[in-house]
Amino acid sequence: DTAVSQTPKYLVTQMGNDKSIKCEQNLGHDTMYWYKQDSKKFLKIMFSYNNKELIINETVPNRFSPKSPDKAHLNLHINSLELGDSAVYFCASSRGGRTQYFGPGTRLTVL
Amino acid sequence: AQSVTQLDSQVPVFEEAPVELRCNYSSSVSVYLFWYVQYPNQGLQLLLKYLSGSTLVKGINGFEAEFNKSQTSFHLRKPSVHISDTAEYFCAVSDQSGNEKLTFGTGTRLTIIP
């Protein structure tokens, strides 16, 4: 059984387009996160939601908008995609904020 | 705010040899410590964690790490590596004060030489 899943796994799109990445966890966790891994493999937190409430927003451009319809889902919508948005985006979840479990990642390529 | 330093960006090791991947952190508050592994073109898998208690923690695949508060270190070790251990290894910290984000190091690429 997949614990944290993301769709799609690969996303190739043109500059200026709008796209969404979906994340679902079946672990019963109350907190979900989005991280960005750049081309040098550096990982950085973008957002965190606890019980559908935004608790971390790390200086991310407002073209990025997370949405949490319920505790098990955290989607990431990106408007007006730019070349610099090309990266691997990871979703993660935790219970009580201690140990985070990651999804398989979504590789976004902006042409 | 926390920071994590992984001193070695690449570590080549012969198969069946021991390995140590170094991790040092900086924080003004108490922290939780983690090691994650990323196999080629895959997601992040939790190797081991230190939350409290014994400073020597054991993880999956024969890895262990020791928390040293005085040296602010959390080095990862394995006594005998295998080809399948080839991967990128990330050290990460989160503070115990309620801010739950993970701060990652820049990663160490472990390459096993047959």
Side-chain angles (χ1 to χ4, degrees):
Chain A
D1 288 342
T2 303
V4 182
S5 59
Q6 295 178 227
T7 53
K9 187 169 174 64
Y10 299 96
L11 186 52
V12 181
T13 188
Q14 300 286 334
M15 269 196 311
N17 284 350
D18 303 338
K19 290 292 178 186
S20 292
I21 306 172
K22 295 186 176 181
C23 177
E24 177 181 2
Q25 55 93 5
N26 63 7
L27 297 168
H29 289 169
D30 55 6
T31 307
M32 296 184 73
Y33 313 79
W34 279 110
Y35 287 84
K36 179 180 180 180
Q37 186 175 45
D38 64 21
S39 58
K40 296 185 178 179
K41 303 245 175 181
F42 184 65
L43 283 146
K44 189 171 181 192
I45 183 81
M46 298 175 69
F47 301 103
S48 171
Y49 267 75
N50 178 268
N51 287 320
K52 301 196 300 175
E53 182 180 343
L54 180 67
I55 57 173
I56 295 175
N57 183 342
E58 287 278 314
T59 60
V60 177
N62 57 16
R63 298 183 295 103
F64 290 79
S65 53
K67 287 184 172 52
S68 182
D70 54 58
K71 285 197 312 183
H73 296 84
L74 180 62
N75 304 323
L76 183 65
H77 188 76
I78 315 170
N79 289 327
S80 303
L81 277 155
E82 301 177 357
L83 291 176
D85 297 332
S86 294
V88 181
Y89 293 85
F90 286 102
C91 178
S93 72
S94 73
R95 176 181 290 127
R98 289 190 175 185
T99 306
Q100 295 182 27
Y101 295 90
F102 285 77
T106 295
R107 183 176 295 274
L108 171 64
T109 303
V110 182
L111 304 174
Chain B
Q2 297 88 41
S3 65
V4 178
T5 302
Q6 291 183 245
L7 295 166
D8 306 303
S9 59
Q10 297 188 57
V11 174
V13 180
F14 284 103
E15 195 173 12
E16 296 183 9
V19 69
E20 178 180 82
L21 305 183
R22 295 180 292 170
C23 173
N24 288 87
Y25 69 92
S26 173
S27 177
S28 57
V29 299
S30 297
V31 296
Y32 301 128
L33 294 150
F34 307 84
W35 276 98
Y36 286 86
V37 59
Q38 185 175 27
Y39 297 105
N41 297 314
Q42 293 191 27
L44 292 159
Q45 183 179 4
L46 180 67
L47 261 185
L48 48 77
K49 61 187 176 184
Y50 172 79
L51 301 181
S52 64
S54 173
T55 56
L56 181 63
V57 292
K58 295 189 183 296
I60 61 172
N61 301 339
F63 283 93
E64 65 180 30
E66 185 157 20
F67 169 52
N68 187 318
K69 190 173 182 179
S70 62
Q71 297 186 7
T72 60
S73 67
F74 191 54
H75 301 332
L76 180 71
R77 301 185 183 98
K78 185 169 182 178
S80 175
V81 295
H82 303 286
I83 290 288
S84 59
D85 293 324
T86 295
E88 193 90 21
Y89 291 80
F90 293 95
C91 181
V93 303
S94 66
D95 68 52
Q96 297 184 20
S97 65
N99 184 339
E100 304 165 353
K101 70 175 183 178
L102 281 173
T103 299
F104 283 88
T106 49
T108 297
R109 180 173 298 174
L110 177 62
T111 302
I112 308 304
I113 305 164

